[in-house]
């Protein structure tokens, strides 16, 4: 393909004369056309991956790489005095996701297309995304993340369906993003929307009138659900998503020749967590509308739907009051009642029923009773689901349960974000690992090769420098690449325990203040958004930002310890941060992190994990061996036992462990409180009390060992050869964590596409 000609045709002028904006727009169009050429209509059976979130990241480079155009375009622009990096700055990151679940969905779409499988994503086109995080007075504040500007990769289609909600009719419109596979086919991500959305209803921050559904339906992902209107809006969103999905699915199947009784030969639906659950009663309803009996409709739907669970936290297992459903989607309520009734008649076990005693509808119960597959996302997580959280279901349906350990796409999380490492790996072991990730193992041959180890450290240093440059340019903060980059980036949640990391940093700060000078200089980096209504999570951010401010203004401490909290952590920032990391903090309370995928990205880019035996950390441990990972903390069994017997008492640790007391007390010290210019700080005080009276995620029992193991990792870092060897072995053993492997397993066990 003559890319130069295409680009010039699109521009209507020479590249050299065009502005970056014009080039960006032309590239979007050239890329979309090239991607469309790789669409395939064949394939009888199709997967529909329905998800409330897709955290896709910027698309330009990724699409160029997957279409095999990256080098050519890069050189062409260079030749004309332009820079692809500058042009990429104009590429807005689609704000359609929140965390791991959404990023996983995006890695999956990449792998599905790369493996040549027939599978599309289905979701919603949020205009303002989750939110954009800014810091003001050391507090998180939220503003709309307006990503849909004139020029994006979105393609407006003429597909539209009527959706009845709350006694009104809404007409949807479907936008598509093309999903390019690496040297393979193109699939699509379908994003449903309304033409009537009106962002002018957003007032201060991200507040808006929650009742104006025609204007607000697809404004934000996860609108605040702390009041009834907010919870109802979530039901509106979810139903809108699945009603459209069901229409699309049935239309496509019929057009390919399905008589609907054989729908399962044409369709498989993967329900990504409970948000899309209403697709089950809705598909049944639409099948009945198309003439099937309820018995047939239920049976067929059952054969088409599979469910993935992403968390064991009870708060995320959605339950909706049946009254809400009656007022918004009365058309599916009788179906839900039939589904419930059948389960109640068949099994005596009340705990697996769909409508509970308080008239709440359990979304997971619909999925598990009426889907044919239930999977967890890492070995340990699936075992916990089977043995505790979902044990009652497991006893009835053991054959439905299976594990699919998460993975990440190497196209984005290695090739695109870390080109120098990719290139070096290609020189050493050939290009095969890009398509067959297990070939990374060949790198092990070099584990004692000093030149290779040096070169790996050198690449890491360059990536650290590049990250420093980026932070200086975008945040005005000057970092020192010659310190250990010790990083924790992920959503802010108490179970992920950013507060444990913070306590270590306070301890280190106090030591330095007391004249105990550490041997290693460390830069602790955090990236995390807190859900707007999650008070304690915001308190933790406030405490981190407060410590950051103290240190930034203290030249004595700053030489040895920095604490940096990055604002608005997203895929774009992650792609710059991850290749620059030395130590990857994966410190959730064992049993609570379903899998984690950041842990895999860091490992693949040659960081060493410091973590608990939780989620996929367990499998990372098994793959790299104990020499190449730092493990601490209570085991998952110990944690589960502690919850069961209710024996945990944070006060006991506080009273008996002087280091814990010292660090926690510091939260409400005059240094910290003083930053507010007042004599008290509600947020810090609340966090202090939370530690003392609750500490629900058991920070204190793990504190001593965490500090010990973390300090050991820092001191091991001094021996650069040994350290680099650990990094090499992490990279070499990351092959298992490719989402290509995960998707092959989904396809083999669940989807069975050709
Ligand atoms: C996350 C889990 O917390 C994480 O451990 C896992 O790696 C990821 O899903 C992908 O499976 N869950 C979410 O992001 C989430 O929102 C609540 O879960 C429904």
């Amino acid at each position: 393909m003559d890319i130069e000609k295409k680009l010039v045709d699109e521009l209507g002028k020479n590249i050299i004369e065009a502005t970056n904006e014009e080039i960006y727009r032309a590239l979007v169009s050239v890329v979309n056309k090239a991607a469309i050429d790789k669409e395939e209509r064949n394939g009888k059976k199709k997967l529909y991956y329905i998800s409330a979130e897709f955290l896709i990241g910027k698309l330009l480079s990724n699409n160029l790489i997957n279409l095999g155009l990256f080098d050519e375009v890069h050189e062409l622009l260079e030749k004309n005095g332009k820079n692809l990096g500058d042009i990429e700055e104009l590429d807005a990151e689609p704000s359609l996701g929140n965390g791991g679940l959404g990023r996983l969905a995006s890695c999956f779409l990449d792998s599905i297309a790369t493996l040549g499988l027939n599978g599309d994503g289905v979701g919603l086109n949020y205009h303002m995304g989750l939110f954009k995080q800014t810091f003001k007075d050391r507090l998180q504040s939220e503003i709309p993340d307006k990503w849909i500007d004139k020029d994006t990769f979105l393609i407006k289609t003429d597909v539209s369906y009527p959706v009845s909600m709350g006694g009104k009719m809404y007409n949807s419109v479907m936008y598509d993003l093309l999903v390019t596979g690496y040297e393979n086919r193109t699939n699509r991500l379908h994003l449903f929307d309304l033409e009537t959305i009106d962002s002018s209803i957003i007032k201060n921050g991200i507040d808006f009138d929650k009742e104006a559904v025609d204007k607000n339906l697809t404004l934000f992902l996860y609108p605040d659900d702390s009041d009834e209107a907010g919870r109802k809006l979530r039901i509106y969103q979810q139903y809108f998503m699945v009603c459209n999905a069901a229409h699309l699915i049935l239309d496509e199947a019929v057009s390919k020749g399905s008589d609907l009784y054989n729908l399962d030969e044409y369709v498989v639906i993967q329900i990504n967590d409970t948000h899309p659950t209403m697709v089950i009663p809705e598909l049944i309803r639409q099948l009945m509308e198309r003439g099937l009996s309820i018995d047939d409709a239920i049976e067929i739907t059952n054969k088409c739907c599979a469910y993935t669970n992403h968390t064991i936290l009870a708060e995320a297992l959605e339950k909706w009051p049946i009254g809400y459903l009656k007022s918004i989607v009365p058309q599916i309520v009788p179906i839900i009642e039939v589904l419930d009734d059948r389960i109640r008649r068949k099994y005596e076990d009340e705990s697996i029923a769909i409508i509970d005693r308080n008239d709440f509808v359990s979304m997971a119960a619909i999925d598990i009773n009426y889907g044919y597959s239930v999977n967890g996302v890492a070995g340990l997580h699936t075992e916990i689901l089977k043995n505790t959280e979902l044990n009652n279901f497991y006893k009835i349906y053991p054959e439905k349960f299976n594990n699919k350990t998460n993975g990440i796409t190497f196209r984005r999380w290695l090739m695109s974000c870390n080109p120098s490492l990719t290139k070096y790996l290609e020189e050493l072991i050939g290009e095969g690992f890009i398509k067959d990730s297990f070939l990374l193992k060949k790198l092990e041959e070099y584990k004692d090769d000093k030149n290779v180890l040096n070169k790996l450290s050198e690449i890491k240093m360059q990536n650290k420098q590049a990250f420093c440059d980026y932070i200086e340019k975008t945040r005005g903060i000057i970092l020192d690449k010659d310190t250990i980059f010790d990083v924790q980036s992920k959503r802010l949640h108490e179970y992920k325990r950013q507060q444990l990391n913070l306590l270590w940093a306070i301890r280190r700060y106090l030591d330095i203040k007391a004249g105990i000078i550490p041997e290693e200089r460390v830069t602790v980096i955090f990236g995390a958004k807190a859900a707007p209504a999650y008070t304690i999570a915001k308190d933790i951010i406030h405490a981190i930002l407060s410590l950051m401010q103290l240190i930034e203004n203290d030249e004595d401490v700053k030489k040895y310890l920095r604490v940096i909290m990055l604002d608005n952590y997203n895929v774009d920032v992650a792609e710059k941060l991850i290749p620059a990391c030395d130590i990857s903090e994966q410190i959730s309370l064992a049993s609570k992190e379903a899998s984690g995928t950041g842990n895999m990205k860091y490992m693949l880019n040659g960081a060493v994990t410091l973590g608990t035996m939780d989620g996929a950390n367990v499998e990372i441990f098994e793959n790299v061996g104990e020499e190449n990972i730092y493990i601490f903390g209570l085991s998952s069994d110990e944690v589960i036992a502690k919850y069961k017997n209710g024996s945990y008492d944070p006060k006991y640790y506080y009273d008996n462990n002087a280091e814990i007391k010292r660090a926690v007390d510091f939260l409400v010290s005059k240094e910290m409180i003083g930053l507010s210019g007042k004599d008290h700080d509600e947020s810090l005080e609340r966090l202090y009390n939370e530690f003392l009276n609750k500490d629900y995620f058991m920070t204190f029992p793990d504190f001593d060992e965490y500090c010990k193991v973390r300090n050991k990792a820092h001191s091991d870092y001094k021996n650069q050869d040994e350290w680099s060897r650990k990094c090499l072995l992490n990279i070499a053993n990351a092959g298992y964590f490719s989402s290509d492997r995960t998707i092959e397993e989904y396809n083999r066990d669940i989807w069975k596409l050709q």
Side-chain angles (χ1 to χ4, degrees):
M1 151 156 152
D2 185 351
I3 191 83
E4 178 157 18
K5 181 167 181 313
K6 296 215 160 140
L7 202 54
V8 171
D9 284 353
E10 201 68 51
L11 283 167
K13 59 171 110 168
N14 285 326
I15 300 173
I16 213 158
E17 293 154 12
T19 64
N20 282 350
E21 283 77 10
E22 288 167 333
I23 297 175
Y24 173 66
R25 211 171 307 143
L27 278 173
V28 168
S29 165
V30 170
V31 163
N32 270 352
K33 283 178 188 156
I36 285 173
D37 285 345
K38 296 195 153 193
E39 286 198 280
E40 288 175 27
R41 299 260 167 254
N42 59 350
K44 179 175 172 189
K45 191 171 183 181
K46 181 165 176 179
L47 159 74
Y48 297 85
Y49 196 91
I50 311 183
S51 177
E53 327 177 14
F54 289 91
L55 191 51
I56 34 199
K58 291 188 176 204
L59 287 166
L60 182 59
S61 284
N62 202 251
N63 281 334
L64 289 172
I65 289 176
N66 283 359
L67 293 166
L69 298 172
F70 186 86
D71 291 337
E72 220 180 317
V73 168
H74 184 80
E75 280 157 31
L76 179 63
L77 293 175
E78 215 72 340
K79 200 176 83 187
N80 287 281
K82 311 282 173 187
N83 177 282
L84 185 53
D86 294 342
I87 290 167
E88 187 148 63
E89 297 289 302
L90 303 170
D91 192 22
E93 174 172 334
S95 188
L96 299 171
N98 169 31
L101 169 156
R103 185 51 237 174
L104 184 78
S106 301
C107 284
F108 280 6
L109 293 186
D110 181 285
S111 286
I112 290 164
T114 297
L115 294 174
L117 298 173
N118 189 16
D120 286 348
V122 183
L124 294 177
N125 193 34
Y126 309 102
H127 294 224
M128 303 293 161
L130 187 68
F131 62 82
K132 192 163 176 178
Q133 180 194 51
T134 61
F135 297 143
K136 247 192 354 232
D137 301 330
R138 290 163 289 113
L139 293 169
Q140 166 176 300
S141 58
E142 301 95 22
I143 55 175
D145 188 1
K146 186 165 184 283
W147 69 278
I148 309 177
D149 242 323
K150 300 182 294 295
D151 310 307
T152 66
F153 282 91
L154 283 172
I155 297 170
K156 188 174 177 182
T157 73
D158 52 16
V159 173
S160 166
Y161 300 109
V163 180
S164 164
M165 299 186 292
K168 274 173 65 177
M169 273 313 235
Y170 298 82
N171 282 310
S172 68
V173 37
M174 185 173 92
Y175 289 86
D176 282 354
L177 284 172
L178 299 170
V179 178
T180 54
Y182 179 66
E183 297 180 352
N184 208 324
R185 65 184 283 155
T186 295
N187 289 325
R188 285 182 180 234
L189 168 56
H190 305 294
L191 299 168
F192 286 95
D193 202 349
L194 283 180
E195 293 281 61
T196 51
I197 297 304
D198 178 1
S199 61
S200 73
I201 65 170
I202 304 171
K203 303 275 161 4
N204 65 63
I206 55 169
D207 290 344
F208 60 89
D209 174 4
K210 288 182 185 146
E211 272 152 38
V213 175
D214 53 331
K215 297 183 177 162
N216 70 25
L217 184 67
T218 51
L219 273 180
F220 289 101
L221 164 65
Y222 300 145
D224 169 42
D225 63 351
S226 57
D227 59 11
E228 180 174 328
R231 286 191 287 279
K232 286 189 166 167
L233 177 53
R234 291 208 185 184
I235 296 177
Y236 273 100
Q237 290 188 327
Q238 294 183 355
Y239 182 74
F240 183 73
M241 172 169 77
V242 303
C243 174
N244 280 300
H247 276 299
L248 180 74
I249 289 167
L250 293 181
D251 277 359
E252 290 193 342
V254 168
S255 79
K256 280 189 282 188
S258 169
D259 63 5
L260 299 182
Y261 292 91
N262 59 3
L263 192 67
D264 59 310
E265 292 169 27
Y266 292 82
V267 170
V268 51
I269 299 171
Q270 192 68 40
I271 298 175
N272 197 28
D273 222 275
T274 53
H275 319 111
T277 299
M278 280 186 278
V279 73
I280 291 177
E282 176 61 13
L283 195 62
I284 294 169
R285 189 190 71 79
Q286 290 190 24
L287 284 167
M288 289 166 67
E289 212 171 58
R290 293 187 190 227
L292 272 67
S293 71
I294 186 158
D295 289 339
D296 288 338
I298 293 175
E299 194 189 322
I300 290 157
T301 300
N302 186 187
K303 285 198 237 165
C304 292
C305 293
Y307 159 65
T308 304
N309 175 288
H310 293 269
T311 182
I312 60 164
L313 296 187
E315 68 196 42
L317 288 178
E318 292 178 299
K319 288 193 165 192
W320 296 122
I322 194 127
Y324 289 10
L325 298 180
K326 281 183 181 154
S327 73
I328 301 166
V329 285
Q331 62 272 40
I332 59 168
V333 172
I335 295 170
I336 293 173
E337 284 166 351
V338 170
L339 297 179
D340 179 56
D341 191 56
R342 292 193 178 190
I343 296 301
R344 285 178 180 277
R345 279 170 201 269
K346 199 154 164 200
Y347 307 104
E348 260 139 48
D349 189 347
E350 165 85 29
S351 73
I352 68 157
I354 288 172
I355 306 174
D356 73 13
R357 296 162 193 242
N358 305 316
D359 272 345
F360 276 76
V361 178
S362 160
M363 294 305 180
I366 299 182
D367 293 317
I368 304 171
N369 284 305
Y370 290 95
Y372 69 90
S373 164
V374 178
N375 76 280
V377 290
L380 176 64
H381 170 57
T382 302
E383 286 309 305
I384 294 173
L385 292 179
K386 293 201 295 200
N387 301 328
T388 56
E389 296 304 309
L390 301 178
N391 181 253
N392 292 341
F393 289 99
Y394 178 61
K395 283 192 289 203
I396 296 180
Y397 308 114
E399 73 293 347
K400 291 189 185 184
F401 282 73
N402 62 93
N403 177 57
K404 295 287 167 282
T405 297
N406 283 167
I408 56 172
T409 165
F410 285 22
R411 271 72 63 186
R412 185 176 288 272
W413 296 110
L414 183 62
M415 293 174 76
S416 174
C417 76
N418 201 341
S420 39
L421 179 59
T422 307
K423 196 166 150 261
Y424 186 54
L425 293 174
E426 286 172 354
E427 278 169 32
L428 287 177
I429 59 171
E431 290 178 10
F433 69 89
I434 290 166
K435 284 199 166 164
D436 178 358
S437 62
F438 288 95
L439 292 175
L440 275 177
K441 194 85 181 163
K442 287 204 217 157
L443 191 60
E444 276 198 355
E445 275 174 42
Y446 299 94
K447 68 183 186 331
D448 300 312
D449 183 327
K450 244 181 127 74
N451 290 330
V452 172
L453 297 178
N454 283 341
K455 180 73 189 171
L456 286 177
S457 323
E458 199 183 303
I459 291 171
K460 180 65 75 181
M461 269 304 164
Q462 288 162 4
N463 289 335
K464 287 168 83 171
Q465 183 61 57
F467 180 72
C468 293
D469 294 345
Y470 166 73
I471 291 302
E472 184 175 352
K473 193 168 139 210
T474 53
R475 273 92 171 158
I477 300 172
I478 298 176
L479 298 177
D480 182 354
K481 71 169 192 324
D482 295 316
T483 59
I484 300 172
F485 281 13
D486 184 324
V487 186
Q488 185 173 17
S489 68
K490 46 186 78 253
R491 286 176 300 143
L492 209 135
H493 201 293
E494 288 164 279
Y495 86 78
K496 296 179 185 282
R497 299 199 298 186
Q498 282 92 351
Q499 71 274 29
L500 175 59
N501 187 341
L502 171 68
L503 290 184
W504 176 90
I506 293 176
R507 181 178 184 176
R508 174 58 55 97
Y509 168 86
L510 292 172
D511 281 351
I512 299 172
K513 290 305 265 181
I516 306 169
I517 302 301
E519 278 187 45
E520 285 72 43
R521 301 188 303 135
V522 182
T523 301
V524 180
I525 302 173
F526 290 92
K529 291 182 183 177
Y534 187 174
T535 308
I536 291 292
K538 288 179 144 179
D539 293 338
I540 294 170
I541 291 183
H542 176 62
I544 295 170
L545 289 170
S546 298
L547 182 66
M548 172 172 170
Q549 185 172 323
L550 278 184
I551 296 175
E552 290 299 288
N553 293 322
D554 186 331
E555 291 305 325
D556 296 338
V557 177
K558 211 178 156 183
K559 282 190 281 216
Y560 306 104
L561 175 69
R562 300 283 293 278
V563 171
I564 303 295
M565 174 109 211
L566 302 170
D567 58 301
N568 204 40
Y569 179 68
N570 59 10
V571 179
D572 186 37
V573 178
E575 286 173 22
K576 297 173 166 100
L577 175 59
I578 290 171
C581 167
D582 296 309
I583 294 176
S584 152
E585 299 270 346
Q586 307 298 337
I587 60 176
S588 53
L589 175 64
S591 80
K592 295 295 176 188
E593 187 70 88
S595 163
T597 47
N599 47 2
M600 303 168 186
K601 294 164 199 163
Y602 281 105
M603 172 195 197
L604 176 62
N605 283 277
V608 181
T609 304
L610 165 59
T612 49
M613 280 297 226
D614 199 15
N617 294 352
V618 175
E619 287 154 80
I620 292 181
F621 172 88
E622 286 160 3
N623 275 274
V624 297
E626 60 181 343
E627 301 284 290
N628 304 301
I629 187 168
Y630 293 88
I631 296 291
F632 71 95
L634 293 170
S635 71
S636 140
D637 286 343
E638 286 167 334
V639 170
I640 291 168
K642 268 192 195 294
Y643 278 120
K644 213 169 185 173
N645 64 31
S647 66
Y648 177 52
D649 172 19
K651 201 74 191 350
Y652 173 84
Y653 287 85
Y654 178 84
D655 290 336
N656 291 285
N657 184 322
E659 289 297 339
I660 288 180
K661 181 170 187 324
R662 185 169 73 131
V664 174
D665 285 350
F666 184 73
L667 289 171
V668 290
S669 63
K670 59 179 190 316
E671 291 91 326
M672 290 282 273
I673 302 263
L675 294 169
S676 63
K678 302 192 197 105
D679 54 8
H680 77 111
D681 180 322
E682 195 189 328
S683 166
L684 290 173
E685 284 152 15
R686 189 168 41 228
L687 182 58
Y688 170 83
N689 285 318
E690 185 79 18
F691 268 123
L692 247 63
N693 301 322
K694 206 161 154 211
D695 190 25
Y696 188 72
F697 294 100
M698 302 183 197
T699 319
F700 295 167
D702 281 350
F703 183 69
D704 278 343
E705 204 192 347
Y706 173 58
C707 293
K708 204 175 99 208
V709 174
R710 188 171 182 181
N711 295 342
K712 168 88 167 66
H714 291 169
S715 91
D716 287 354
Y717 181 84
K718 274 190 302 231
N719 185 338
Q720 265 298 306
D721 281 347
E722 273 298 305
W723 187 264
S724 189
R725 193 165 182 272
K726 291 186 204 295
C727 299
L728 178 143
L729 289 169
N730 270 274
I731 302 168
N733 289 292
Y736 178 74
F737 301 103
S738 164
S739 46
D740 297 348
R741 186 269 311 151
T742 313
I743 290 302
E744 269 165 1
E745 292 178 6
Y746 272 91
N747 194 39
R748 181 193 67 203
D749 302 339
I750 305 173
W751 304 336
K752 304 186 195 303
L753 309 164
Q754 287 101 8

